[in-house]
Amino acid sequence: MSIGIDPAETFRQEARELLDALEQSLLDLEQTPDSHDLVDASFRALHTLKGSGSMFGFDEVADFVHEFETAFDKVRKGRSAISTGLVTVALAARDHIQKLIEQPGQHAPAGRPILEALRKIVDTDGAPAPEPAVAAVADASATAGKTWRIVFRLPDDALAFGTNPLLLLDELRELGPCRVTALTDRIPMLETMEPTLAYLGWEVILETDGGLEKIEDVFMFIRDGMELSIEPGAGTVAGGADVARTPDAVSEPVATTKESSSAAPAVRGAKVKAKDATAAASSADRGGSSMRVAAERLDELMDRVGELVIAQSRLTQIASASNDLNLKNVAEELERLASGLRDTTMGIRMVPIGSLFGRFRRLVHDLSHDLGKEIEFVTTGEETELDKTMIERLADPLVHLIRNSIDHGIESPDKRLAAGKGERGRVKLSATHSGAEVAISISDDGKGLDAQRIRAKAEEAGLIAPDAKIADAELYQMIFHPGFSTAGEITSVSGRGVGMDVVKRTIEGLRGSIDLSTRHGEGTTATLRLPLTLAIIEGMLVRVGNGRYSIPLSAVEECVELPPAADLGDQGRNFLNIRGSLVPFLRLRELFKTTTPPDPYQKVVIVAAGDARVGLVVDQIIGNSQTVIKSLSKLHADVETFSGATILGDGTVALILDVMNLVSFGQKLEGRLRSEHLRRAA
């Protein structure tokens, strides 16, 4: 079955990536306005959007971006300086481009005021006076005339990717009269020649009034990896024809790096010996090439792998009951292959969380302007990988948490100064691996949570009794109740109590947990703990009564035998002494209301979620197996003890225990028992 590719959708996908890159470059420019590389990166993104938009029939996009590019070109040429106002308008223009792409024919008139504001800023924001060194170079270039010597060699893989050097030469000819010489010194012997590699180089003597910028624009999209030298005032055009030059008559071509392209013209024209690593780098790039695959195909592949794992488990069970050695060998080989295929498929689905973190820079930028607060946004752990499905569903919860940190947590500049802090607040977003989990933290250096105010609101809402004793950690969880808010006034950002309950439900729907910690006057940290994947995990199969259950192996720390004395514990609950640490344990037989007689030697599986541990008492530990996670139906949405189900090798269903929920339940239960014990003792 062939799948048709919609060219318009292909453009939209590429445009989203270009718009994201443009947004990041503009945000970086606000912090480092003197960076020529960032200005060039922004201009390249605009130039590509204009060309692609015109090619795919998005004329509104091409026209708007052309005007945007024309105004921004003054910044690139140093005629206008980067300012906060310019970045703000440029970001608005970026948003308008996205609307033109997603909804053609509806938003074109709204772009005129944006372009007018952009032109006004770049026209009134004069460029600073040139530095003495740059001015001297400009004078020297003027005395050298209008002739330029250009030597360039394309990257090895340029032809394979569709770059035509003749079109580049035609663009140079459009700038003025020129003499072109082919450089043939690197052409190998015929038997070693590869037809897809670019061996020719080119020397061009050009007379033009366009200046250096116009020449550099010709090579804008192929600068990375190529060798390029542009020298003023060398050679003449008259009396020469386009020829091929022999190696003896050719000087060593020079390479212009990214760093040199952002320097003064004299530095751009300086000769730097080309590095031999260019060809090797091009070969490495070809070896590490990538291709775009629809997310639906990855999901389908994971489903097929899941079915394969179930079939392999069935075969392994049949082989274990058979005396046929050939069958056992085939089952072991299939298990090895299925395990490798599972790991490879899951690796394909893993995405660096930095792709998600980058989206929030714009959010922080806009909120800081809307609320009149200076915010420093810091991210760490961007390389931490997480399943793509998890990343897609994490965006909204993190938006809510960051908005709350800025609106409720970070004080206004005058209040921060009164509290002995700097005017600029700080929001930090970090991610780290913790075993088979990922911990994502959102922290701020604001005023922290007000426990008394939270308690007053909770009592007012009837969530807790006025005389109830409750730990701070449990009290802070009250803010996740629907409609709960301690905001004194409703703003455009928050204050209606909508959102935090959705955050908690979403995180729990991902089999994760969220914890809050705070210090008065110093800030608050929200920590999300999430499994690496929602698809296939290693599980420990246990038996409780006649039922079999799976415990995620990543949460298991160790297994011990239940001491006989533990059966005498109060109401069947007690603590185990695990190498000097008291660990509460839960009898799953009681939790599941199992009526069959218990096994004589019960086992305790010690599981952990974050820093908390709890023991789960089971009748038997059966062994480890690959567990394909199947979601429970909506009818079982309120069942908190289980996070899903899996199909065993014999075709029966085993429920997967929700370790985070059980650990939280065990900790709260033992806390209440301790309070009752202390009250009786008093």
Side-chain angles (χ1 to χ4, degrees):
M1 180 181 68
S2 62
I3 299 177
I5 299 176
D6 182 8
E9 185 57 33
T10 300
F11 167 70
R12 288 190 178 97
Q13 291 179 1
E14 295 181 352
R16 291 186 194 108
E17 297 176 1
L18 289 168
L19 288 173
D20 288 343
L22 175 62
E23 182 176 274
Q24 300 304 317
S25 297
L26 291 173
L27 292 171
D28 287 336
L29 272 173
E30 190 172 29
Q31 305 298 322
T32 55
D34 296 331
S35 174
H36 295 279
D37 287 342
L38 291 174
V39 173
D40 290 341
S42 302
F43 196 81
R44 281 196 297 270
L46 290 173
H47 204 69
T48 306
L49 276 169
K50 182 180 71 174
S52 299
S54 179
M55 181 188 305
F56 286 96
F58 287 77
D59 295 333
E60 292 177 344
V61 174
D63 293 342
F64 180 84
V65 175
H66 175 71
E67 297 296 330
F68 186 179
E69 182 185 44
T70 301
F72 204 79
D73 190 45
K74 295 183 179 180
V75 177
R76 189 170 69 100
K77 294 178 178 178
R79 298 174 186 169
S80 182
I82 293 292
S83 64
T84 301
L86 175 61
V87 171
T88 300
V89 176
L91 288 171
R94 177 259 178 217
D95 294 342
H96 181 70
I97 296 171
Q98 186 167 14
K99 292 179 181 178
L100 294 177
I101 293 171
E102 301 298 338
Q103 299 174 324
Q106 299 183 27
H107 302 282
R112 296 191 189 99
I114 298 175
L115 291 174
E116 290 175 3
L118 186 62
R119 293 190 197 101
K120 183 178 180 181
I121 290 177
V122 297
D123 289 341
T124 58
D125 220 1
E131 297 178 6
V134 177
V137 170
D139 293 340
S141 298
T143 59
K146 301 174 184 178
T147 303
W148 299 84
R149 178 177 181 268
I150 306 159
V151 178
F152 70 92
R153 292 182 183 272
L154 299 178
D156 286 351
D157 56 359
L159 299 180
F161 284 99
T163 301
N164 187 343
L166 299 181
L167 297 180
L168 297 176
L169 295 173
D170 288 342
E171 288 190 48
L172 291 173
R173 290 188 179 100
E174 291 176 1
L175 298 178
C178 63
R179 176 167 57 85
V180 179
T181 304
L183 309 179
T184 60
D185 54 308
R186 296 190 187 179
I187 298 179
M189 300 299 292
L190 184 61
E191 58 269 16
T192 61
M193 184 180 296
E194 295 186 31
T196 60
L197 297 186
Y199 295 110
L200 285 176
W202 307 89
E203 181 192 55
V204 180
I205 306 299
L206 171 67
E207 289 185 5
T208 179
D209 296 329
L212 179 64
E213 290 82 3
K214 293 292 185 182
I215 300 174
E216 289 182 331
D217 285 349
V218 173
F219 304 97
M220 177 181 296
F221 299 108
I222 55 172
R223 289 290 288 268
D224 295 338
M226 76 175 298
E227 299 175 18
L228 175 64
S229 169
I230 304 173
E231 298 175 317
T236 60
V237 176
D242 291 356
V243 297
R245 177 172 289 191
T246 61
D248 294 337
V250 178
S251 61
E252 183 69 26
V254 300
T256 301
T257 64
K258 285 186 176 181
E259 289 76 8
S260 62
S261 67
S262 63
V267 180
R268 290 196 187 108
K271 290 190 176 182
V272 181
K273 200 151 189 176
K275 295 182 179 179
D276 294 334
T278 303
S282 299
S283 301
D285 289 341
R286 290 197 301 275
S289 60
S290 60
M291 63 181 295
R292 193 187 302 271
V293 178
E296 293 79 8
R297 293 191 175 185
L298 290 181
D299 293 337
E300 184 178 355
L301 176 61
M302 181 55 73
D303 290 340
R304 295 290 184 268
V305 171
E307 298 298 328
L308 176 63
V309 168
I310 294 173
Q312 171 264 314
S313 178
R314 174 65 173 159
L315 178 62
T316 299
Q317 184 168 336
I318 294 173
S320 63
S322 172
N323 294 324
D324 190 338
L325 292 179
N326 289 329
L327 179 61
K328 290 180 181 292
N329 289 336
V330 171
E332 290 177 359
E333 181 68 11
L334 182 60
E335 182 177 3
R336 182 183 66 81
L337 294 173
S339 178
L341 181 60
R342 177 207 64 183
D343 294 341
T344 301
T345 305
M346 290 178 61
I348 294 174
R349 290 169 57 97
M350 303 301 280
V351 179
I353 205 168
S355 62
L356 176 64
F357 284 7
R359 304 180 196 175
F360 304 126
R361 297 183 60 201
R362 177 69 182 279
L363 172 69
V364 174
H365 173 274
D366 292 346
L367 283 177
S368 63
H369 284 76
D370 293 343
L371 299 174
K373 299 177 180 180
E374 293 187 31
I375 305 296
E376 178 188 7
F377 184 54
V378 180
T379 60
T380 60
E382 293 93 336
E383 70 283 353
T384 304
E385 291 187 333
L386 199 60
D387 189 286
K388 74 172 188 65
T389 304
M390 304 278 284
I391 286 183
E392 291 167 359
R393 295 170 64 180
L394 272 176
D396 287 343
L398 290 177
V399 165
H400 282 296
L401 292 171
I402 292 173
R403 287 166 69 99
N404 273 8
S405 292
I406 296 175
D407 191 25
H408 294 313
I410 304 293
E411 310 95 328
S412 59
D414 55 340
K415 290 183 179 179
R416 290 182 64 85
L417 289 175
K421 301 180 180 179
E423 289 188 18
R424 172 175 289 192
R426 178 185 174 94
V427 174
K428 183 177 181 180
L429 184 59
S430 61
T432 57
H433 277 297
S434 178
E437 294 178 350
V438 170
I440 303 174
S441 297
I442 304 97
S443 59
D444 62 68
D445 65 347
K447 58 189 176 183
L449 296 176
D450 189 337
Q452 293 182 352
R453 188 172 180 82
I454 294 174
R455 184 180 183 94
K457 287 286 185 179
E459 292 178 358
E460 180 183 333
L463 298 176
I464 58 175
D467 58 346
K469 292 186 177 180
I470 183 172
D472 285 346
E474 192 172 350
L475 180 65
Y476 298 146
Q477 291 291 322
M478 294 294 172
I479 69 175
F480 295 109
H481 280 270
F484 190 94
S485 176
T486 60
E489 59 180 340
I490 295 174
T491 68
S492 60
V493 178
S494 58
R496 298 183 183 273
V498 178
M500 295 303 286
D501 59 320
V502 178
V503 169
K504 187 174 179 66
R505 280 203 307 271
T506 302
I507 298 303
E508 290 179 345
L510 295 172
R511 303 200 318 273
S513 66
I514 180 169
D515 300 318
L516 292 172
S517 61
T518 186
R519 297 185 67 177
H520 183 68
E522 297 184 16
T524 303
T525 299
T527 302
L528 283 58
R529 301 188 183 278
L530 299 154
L532 283 175
T533 180
L534 298 174
I536 302 176
I537 60 171
E538 288 285 346
M540 174 181 285
L541 195 63
V542 300
R543 180 176 59 81
V544 179
N546 294 326
R548 288 180 291 179
Y549 305 89
S550 180
I551 304 174
L553 194 61
S554 60
V556 177
E557 289 195 344
E558 58 184 309
C559 301
V560 298
E561 189 171 301
L562 182 67
D567 289 333
L568 304 177
D570 181 29
Q571 299 181 7
R573 306 175 190 90
N574 214 318
F575 290 89
L576 287 177
N577 188 340
I578 305 295
R579 287 180 294 282
S581 299
L582 292 179
V583 179
F585 65 85
L586 300 172
R587 284 181 168 81
L588 295 185
R589 295 181 57 85
E590 295 181 1
L591 194 61
F592 300 158
K593 295 181 170 44
T594 303
T595 58
T596 59
D599 282 21
Y601 300 102
Q602 292 184 298
K603 307 298 186 293
V604 183
V605 181
I606 308 297
V607 295
D611 298 329
R613 296 193 299 169
V614 72
L616 305 177
V617 180
V618 302
D619 287 325
Q620 181 188 5
I621 297 174
I622 299 175
N624 300 339
S625 64
Q626 295 183 32
T627 301
V628 180
I629 301 172
K630 302 291 184 180
S631 301
L632 299 177
S633 70
K634 294 182 179 179
L635 296 175
H636 302 90
D638 296 333
V639 179
E640 298 180 343
T641 309
F642 308 108
S643 60
T646 186
I647 302 175
L648 301 178
D650 58 3
T652 60
V653 174
L655 294 172
I656 302 172
L657 299 182
D658 188 337
V659 171
M660 293 185 180
N661 183 274
L662 288 172
V663 169
S664 177
F665 177 76
Q667 294 288 324
K668 292 177 182 177
L669 187 60
E670 294 303 332
R672 285 197 291 270
L673 289 174
R674 288 190 182 194
S675 299
E676 291 175 6
H677 177 72
L678 293 174
R679 190 162 52 249
R680 291 195 201 103

